[in-house]
Amino acid sequence: MAEKLPCHDTSSDEDSSDDDVSNELLRQLLQLKIGADKSNTDQEDLPKVLEELSVDGIVKYIKAGKATKIITMAGAGISTSAGIPDFRSPGTGLYDNLEEYNLPSPQSVFDIEYFKEHPEPFFKLAKSLWPKDKKFQPTVCHRFIKLLHVKGLLLRHYTQNIDSLERSAGLPEELLIEAHGTFHTSHCTSCSKTYSQEFIEGEMAKDSIPTCTDCNHVVKPDIVFFGENLPSKFFTHVQSDFEHCNLLIIMGTSLTVQPFARLIDRVPKTCPRLLINLEKVGVSSGSGLDFLSRILSGVQSGGLDFDSEKAYRDVAILGTCDEGCESLANALGWKDDMDKLSTEGTTRPESGPEENSTNKL
Ligand code: OAD
Ligand code: ZN
């Protein structure tokens, strides 16, 4: 079930009422809504967007010059090979490794209300994840995203990550939407004075809670906590970007946190969607149902559909993001370009988060 950053999320993704009457009303409303949108959701009318529903189909689509406005959407899985653990991978994910902090729930460490009362666990965790002497390097996957930009094909990169590795990879600021904020800058929680990453790192190195030099309140990195709004840049660009997208590439995310996860449904129906991830995610429970069944069951449409009879534009490369990006680049004849972009210290593709997440808590 999707998690939400509740403050700004007003969707009805998880509507579930015990009241039958309310359910019925809701279903009727849904029927009206879907009925009105029927021309958009019926797939029979859609042109064939991929020659074949496979990675080859995606490669041909790009080679044919049809992917001129690519949007990449990323999560923690694109950085695990750099040594930064993700959140939800069993065993290695952050949320499985927070016992020592005695939190009400694993997510509390990123909860703004909890942070206001108890900033210590967050800074202790941040210190263990970003030790001062360790500089994380962008991965092959980050380099691939940069290459899409160099080739003039990248409309925008949307990331949930706060590790700034897209910046380190050299992606220009205007192409980058850090949906969950960044560690790059920080602000005083009271007077909003701006602080640098170096300031925060310096304080964390001393095991002290960063406080404002003007008013003595806690200084918080500009990352989005549960209960906080996403940056306005996110909303303004989502409005204009997604309707123009002609290839969506989703990488290294469980697609569990809203509103980010829902972005996959904002591209046109004719836009192919490529998932590069260890596992299939974002699959709609209603994807195998026809129009009438969706209305009658009340199951919403949307989500990725790789396998149903109606699947026509979603393709998955299951494996690490690095391997997936490297094989895609090779198939596109971009190997030399990838090599050219290679910088000293960029990680090589490896086999998975268990072995790669060296920075366990
Ligand atoms: P998750 O940990 O939820 O999901 C990571 C996904 O990447 C999983 O599906 C993994 O199987 C996959 N994965 C891990 N390593 C991989 C690799 N090397 N190659 C390919 N796939 C890999 O991380 P996010 O989806 O980014 O928000 O989590 C979303 C948000 O939840 C975060 O931004 C954070 C968290 O709570 C806040 O803190 C506000
Ligand atoms: Zn202050």
Side-chain angles (χ1 to χ4, degrees):
M1 181 165 284
E3 289 167 30
K4 300 190 211 178
L5 297 170
C7 199
H8 46 79
D9 191 343
T10 54
S11 83
S12 56
D13 281 5
E14 295 164 23
D15 281 332
S16 66
S17 163
D18 293 337
D19 183 332
D20 284 345
V21 179
S22 310
N23 266 347
E24 186 47 37
L25 274 173
L26 188 65
R27 192 152 27 248
Q28 286 177 18
L29 273 173
L30 198 68
Q31 184 170 0
L32 279 173
K33 168 90 175 81
I34 296 175
D37 290 351
K38 189 174 184 302
S39 59
N40 293 331
T41 52
D42 263 358
Q43 294 173 359
E44 287 74 23
D45 300 338
L46 291 167
K48 199 170 158 59
V49 291
L50 291 173
E51 261 182 54
E52 50 183 292
L53 193 59
S54 65
V55 180
D56 273 356
I58 296 280
V59 169
K60 283 180 191 155
Y61 180 88
I62 300 174
K63 279 186 167 172
K66 293 180 182 169
T68 50
K69 292 189 169 69
I70 299 177
I71 292 181
T72 42
M73 284 174 61
I78 75 164
S79 296
T80 52
S81 67
I84 304 170
D86 69 6
F87 294 89
R88 295 176 184 80
S89 282
T92 55
L94 254 182
Y95 291 152
D96 262 3
N97 290 281
L98 296 172
E99 293 86 8
E100 63 179 288
Y101 299 99
N102 291 319
L103 300 161
S105 79
Q107 280 88 344
S108 304
V109 73
F110 298 116
D111 184 300
I112 191 62
E113 294 308 322
Y114 188 81
F115 176 83
K116 282 178 189 163
E117 299 290 320
H118 312 280
E120 303 82 9
F122 169 77
F123 285 112
K124 206 170 155 201
L125 175 67
K127 183 179 177 183
S128 74
L129 288 174
W130 279 272
K132 205 169 165 28
D133 54 347
K134 185 159 182 187
K135 189 106 185 84
F136 294 108
Q137 297 296 331
T139 68
V140 171
C141 176
H142 289 93
R143 205 181 337 140
F144 180 74
I145 299 164
K146 168 81 185 293
L147 183 59
L148 293 176
H149 156 57
V150 170
K151 292 197 170 286
L153 303 178
L154 187 68
L155 175 59
R156 207 84 61 193
H157 175 63
Y158 284 74
T159 184
Q160 296 165 98
N161 299 344
I162 55 170
D163 53 33
S164 303
L165 287 186
E166 288 95 348
R167 291 171 187 252
S168 314
L171 207 61
E173 175 112 30
E174 66 271 18
L175 290 189
L176 179 60
I177 305 292
E178 292 166 319
H180 294 170
T182 174
F183 238 89
H184 204 60
T185 50
S186 300
H187 283 90
C188 169
T189 48
S190 179
C191 75
S192 298
K193 183 174 177 181
T194 307
Y195 289 87
S196 67
Q197 184 164 342
E198 289 69 37
F199 171 80
I200 297 284
E201 283 174 354
E203 293 303 298
M204 288 192 319
K206 292 184 277 177
D207 285 324
S208 52
I209 304 293
T211 50
C212 181
T213 49
D214 285 357
C215 73
N216 214 31
H217 281 87
V218 176
V219 175
K220 176 184 151 304
D222 293 342
I223 65 173
V224 179
F225 278 43
F226 289 106
E228 287 191 303
N229 278 323
L230 272 65
S232 56
K233 188 179 176 189
F234 171 86
F235 294 104
T236 50
H237 281 89
V238 161
Q239 289 293 341
S240 50
D241 284 350
F242 278 75
E243 61 184 290
H244 299 298
C245 176
N246 49 25
L247 176 62
L248 182 67
I249 306 181
I250 305 151
M251 295 182 280
T253 174
S254 59
L255 290 177
T256 48
V257 173
Q258 302 293 3
F260 192 91
R262 204 165 39 241
L263 293 182
I264 61 170
D265 289 319
R266 296 194 65 140
V267 295
K269 299 285 176 199
T270 49
C271 172
R273 300 180 295 190
L274 172 65
L275 173 75
I276 307 178
N277 209 51
L278 286 180
E279 53 183 339
K280 283 185 185 167
V281 294
V283 178
S284 161
S285 51
S287 60
L289 302 177
D290 62 20
F291 176 68
L292 190 63
S293 310
R294 274 208 313 271
I295 295 173
L296 295 177
S297 63
V299 171
Q300 59 179 8
S301 60
L304 300 170
D305 180 4
F306 305 106
D307 302 313
S308 90
E309 276 177 10
K310 287 180 170 288
Y312 73 105
R313 57 155 169 170
D314 296 334
V315 172
I317 299 180
L318 297 182
T320 70
C321 293
D322 288 349
E323 287 166 343
C325 288
E326 188 156 69
S327 66
L328 195 56
N330 290 346
L332 287 164
W334 295 354
K335 187 181 180 322
D336 289 349
D337 301 313
M338 281 289 277
D339 290 345
K340 258 186 241 157
L341 277 187
S342 176
T343 50
E344 230 176 83
T346 300
T347 57
R348 302 297 307 157
E350 288 171 16
S351 55
E354 277 80 8
E355 290 154 45
N356 298 334
S357 295
T358 48
N359 197 16
K360 278 191 212 162
L361 300 174

